[in-house]
């Protein structure tokens, strides 16, 4: 779903290449616990141990993100706005 090297071919599934390893491990733990709801990812994470999640995060983090992975200009701008300003309506602080 996220591409064999972490570079997704479709925008529905985000690219995970070069993502921060701890972030990936945390999201997998959230899918497993139900804190983050997604039936497909919950199934993928169900049998993973914390060590497995850390290894998966490290592997995706070591992959190179292809520049062409972000093709949708509007989506890039939306992500930039979220990174810089957060989303008060959803209780998400800015990353910057």
């Amino acid at each position: 779903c996220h591409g064999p090297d972490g570079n997704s071919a479709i925008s529905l599934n985000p690219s995970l290449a070069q993502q921060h390893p701890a972030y990936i491990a945390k999201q997998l733990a959230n899918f497993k616990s139900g804190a983050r709801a997604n039936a497909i990812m919950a199934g993928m994470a169900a049998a993973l141990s914390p060590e497995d999640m850390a290894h998966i995060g490290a592997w995706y983090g070591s992959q190179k993100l292809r520049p062409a992975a972000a093709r949708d200009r509007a989506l890039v701008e939306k992500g930039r706005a979220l990174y810089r300003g957060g989303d008060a309506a959803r209780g998400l602080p800015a990353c910057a």
Side-chain angles (χ1 to χ4, degrees):
C1 296
H2 298 283
D5 63 352
N7 287 284
S8 179
I10 60 172
S11 61
L12 180 63
N13 301 318
S15 289
L16 300 178
Q18 278 188 295
Q19 182 58 267
H20 193 282
Y23 175 81
I24 292 176
K26 172 72 171 138
Q27 296 313 306
L28 287 169
N30 287 347
F31 286 123
K32 182 174 182 170
S33 73
R36 186 167 178 191
N38 181 289
I40 294 171
M41 286 305 303
M44 296 288 183
L48 298 176
S49 69
E51 184 178 67
D52 293 333
M53 293 176 201
H55 289 161
I56 291 168
W59 186 83
Y60 276 121
S62 72
Q63 302 305 299
K64 297 295 178 200
L65 182 65
R66 285 181 285 172
R71 293 184 185 102
D72 183 336
R73 184 79 176 149
L75 189 58
V76 169
E77 291 305 321
K78 187 175 180 180
R80 183 175 316 190
L82 182 61
Y83 174 82
R84 291 184 175 158
D87 184 340
R90 295 190 297 168
L92 300 173
C95 297

